[in-house]
Amino acid sequence: MNETKPKRRDFTSLWDRPGFLIRRLHQIHVALFLEECSEFNITPLQFAVLTVLYDRETLDQVTIANQIGADRNTVADVIRRLERRGLLERPASVVDKRAKLARITDEGHAFVEAVQPKMIDAQRQLTVPLDREEYEVLMKLMRKLILENYDASRAPMRPGVLQADG
Amino acid sequence: MNETKPKRRDFTSLWDRPGFLIRRLHQIHVALFLEECSEFNITPLQFAVLTVLYDRETLDQVTIANQIGADRNTVADVIRRLERRGLLERPASVVDKRAKLARITDEGHAFVEAVQPKMIDAQRQLTVPLDREEYEVLMKLMRKLILENYDASRAPMRPGVLQADG
DNA sequence: TGTTAATAGGTAGTATACTACGTAATTTAT
DNA sequence: ATAAATTACGTAGTATACTACCTATTAACA
C-alpha cells in the first residue's frame, strides 16, 4: 500500500477537526429528526424531556436537566412549551416550596408513542451507512468521550444516571 | 466472557441513541472551545469563518456558508459580529450588485494566529481519551456519516469543497 | 438558634441554527 | 428582448444552549 503521511493530529483543515465534524453531525441529526417528525412539530430536546417523563414519574426541572444532559434554563423553556401544548402538567411540590415539578399528561403519553417510530427512523437514517460493527465502535467511542469529558459542559450528567442508563 | 444481549439497534435508552450522544458531544466541544478561548471571546463558528478567510480571499456569504457547512442566515449574523469587532471588512462586489463580500482585516489575521493554539488545545482535550487508532476510526466514521447524509441538513457542503478539504 | 451554604427557579441577554417571507439583481429560456 | 427562474441578501420569528444575576427556600454548621 502507498504509505501516506504519518498523519499526526494536526487540525489544519476543518475536516481534520473533531469539533467541526461533531457540529456538522449535530446539524444533520437535528435536520433528519425534524424532517421525520415534521407532522408532530417536535424537536429532539423536547422529545428527550418527554422520554424521561414517559413512565409517569414526577420530576423537578434540575433532575430532568441532569438526566438528559441539558442546561437548566433550556429545560425550563422546553417544559414551558410542552406545558402550553398540554403534553405536561406542572404541579407544585408540597415538600419543597421552591420546586416546580413536571409530569406527563395522558395526551403527552400517547404523543410519545405516536412519535417514537419516527424518532427511530431518524436515528436509523443517520447511521444506515455504517455496518453493525462500525455502528458499535462509533457509539462506544462517543460514549467514551462524553464520560471522560464528564465535567466539561455546564450540564454534566450525574454518575448515578450514567450507571442507570449506560 | 459473558455473552450479553445480541444488541441490535434498539434506541430505547438515551445512551443508545446516536443523535443523543452527538448532541452531548457537541455541547461538550463548544464548552471546551469557549473555555480555552475565553480570553479571546470567540465561538467555534466565528473561528470557522475566520479560518476560511484567513488566506485573504474575498468571498460572498453563500460561499462562506457552504465552505463551513453553516446556514446562510447564521453566517450573516456571524459576519456582522466579526465586522463590528474590526476582524472583517465588507466590500461590495462590483460585478454583482447583490453580493456583499467579506474579507479579513490585518487585525483579524493576527487574531486567528493568536487563537489557533487555543483552538487546537480544545480539539486535543476533547479527544485525549482516545489513542491514535481510536481517533482515526472515530474521525473516519464521522466523515462517512456526514458525506452519506450529504443533503440532509439545509447547509450541505458542496462536492467541490468536500474534495478540496476532505 | 442564627448565620451561612447550597439549591430551585426566574429573568435578561447573547450566539447558533433554523424557517418563512420579501426585495433586488442576475441568469436562463422563450 | 422580455418573462420566468434563480440567486444574494435582508428581516422577523422560533428553538436550543449558554452566561450572569436575582429571589426565595432549604440545608448545614457554629
Side-chain angles (χ1 to χ4, degrees):
Chain A
M1 301 299 283
N2 51 348
E3 302 180 19
T4 54
K5 42 202 165 168
K7 221 176 189 187
R8 289 196 55 94
R9 302 182 191 181
D10 63 346
F11 313 116
T12 44
S13 149
L14 288 178
W15 289 80
D16 288 329
R17 298 180 190 169
F20 177 79
L21 299 182
I22 289 165
R23 180 177 65 77
R24 282 294 293 147
L25 267 186
H26 181 240
Q27 282 178 306
I28 290 169
H29 161 65
V30 172
L32 288 174
F33 187 100
L34 294 180
E35 190 187 340
E36 286 293 332
C37 304
S38 58
E39 57 184 310
F40 299 109
N41 189 33
I42 186 91
T43 67
L45 198 65
Q46 289 174 9
F47 194 75
V49 168
L50 290 176
T51 296
V52 303
L53 292 171
Y54 180 68
D55 58 2
R56 311 228 179 239
E57 268 187 292
T58 303
L59 305 174
D60 65 300
Q61 297 185 37
V62 173
T63 302
I64 294 170
N66 286 334
Q67 291 206 11
I68 67 178
D71 185 81
R72 183 176 65 79
N73 299 289
T74 302
V75 169
D77 283 341
V78 171
I79 288 177
R80 218 168 284 132
R81 287 178 209 116
L82 293 174
E83 186 197 17
R84 210 186 302 143
R85 289 176 65 176
L87 303 177
L88 296 184
E89 294 171 323
R90 309 212 56 197
S93 171
V94 285
V95 292
D96 188 339
K97 289 173 189 166
R98 296 167 304 179
K100 216 171 161 185
L101 304 173
R103 187 202 306 138
I104 202 166
T105 62
D106 288 343
E107 190 186 341
H109 204 261
F111 183 79
V112 170
E113 290 178 347
V115 176
Q116 191 98 7
K118 296 297 186 178
M119 177 277 288
I120 290 174
D121 286 346
Q123 305 286 353
R124 226 187 292 273
Q125 194 180 332
L126 178 69
T127 53
V128 273
L130 305 185
D131 62 35
R132 177 105 142 237
E133 192 192 337
E134 289 175 320
Y135 179 82
E136 291 302 333
V137 168
L138 176 67
M139 295 293 280
K140 195 192 76 180
L141 294 177
M142 290 197 298
R143 288 192 199 104
K144 189 173 189 176
L145 289 188
I146 292 170
L147 293 173
E148 295 286 330
N149 286 285
Y150 171 69
D151 47 4
S153 168
R154 219 210 183 190
M157 281 166 278
R158 297 230 190 85
V161 177
L162 298 180
Q163 287 162 8
D165 284 354
Chain B
M1 300 298 285
N2 51 349
E3 302 182 21
T4 55
K5 41 202 165 166
K7 221 177 189 186
R8 289 197 56 96
R9 303 182 191 182
D10 63 346
F11 313 116
T12 43
S13 149
L14 288 178
W15 288 81
D16 289 328
R17 298 180 190 169
F20 177 78
L21 300 182
I22 288 166
R23 181 177 65 76
R24 282 293 293 145
L25 266 187
H26 182 241
Q27 284 177 305
I28 290 169
H29 162 65
V30 172
L32 288 174
F33 187 100
L34 294 180
E35 189 186 341
E36 286 293 333
C37 303
S38 57
E39 56 182 311
F40 299 109
N41 190 32
I42 187 93
T43 67
L45 199 66
Q46 288 174 11
F47 193 75
V49 169
L50 290 176
T51 295
V52 303
L53 293 172
Y54 179 69
D55 58 2
R56 312 241 179 223
E57 268 187 293
T58 302
L59 305 174
D60 66 301
Q61 297 183 27
V62 173
T63 302
I64 294 171
N66 286 334
Q67 291 206 10
I68 66 179
D71 185 82
R72 181 178 67 79
N73 299 289
T74 303
V75 169
D77 283 341
V78 171
I79 287 178
R80 218 169 282 132
R81 287 178 209 116
L82 293 175
E83 185 197 18
R84 212 187 300 144
R85 289 176 65 176
L87 303 177
L88 296 184
E89 295 171 323
R90 309 210 57 197
S93 171
V94 285
V95 291
D96 188 338
K97 287 173 190 167
R98 296 169 303 179
K100 216 171 161 186
L101 305 173
R103 186 201 307 138
I104 202 165
T105 61
D106 289 344
E107 189 187 343
H109 203 261
F111 183 80
V112 170
E113 290 179 346
V115 176
Q116 193 99 4
K118 296 297 186 179
M119 177 277 288
I120 290 174
D121 285 347
Q123 305 286 353
R124 227 188 290 275
Q125 192 180 332
L126 178 69
T127 53
V128 274
L130 305 185
D131 63 34
R132 176 105 141 239
E133 192 192 335
E134 288 175 322
Y135 179 83
E136 291 302 332
V137 168
L138 176 66
M139 296 292 282
K140 193 192 76 181
L141 294 177
M142 289 198 297
R143 288 191 200 105
K144 188 173 187 176
L145 289 187
I146 293 170
L147 292 173
E148 295 288 328
N149 286 285
Y150 172 69
D151 49 2
S153 168
R154 219 212 183 191
M157 280 167 276
R158 296 229 190 86
V161 178
L162 297 180
Q163 287 162 5
D165 284 356

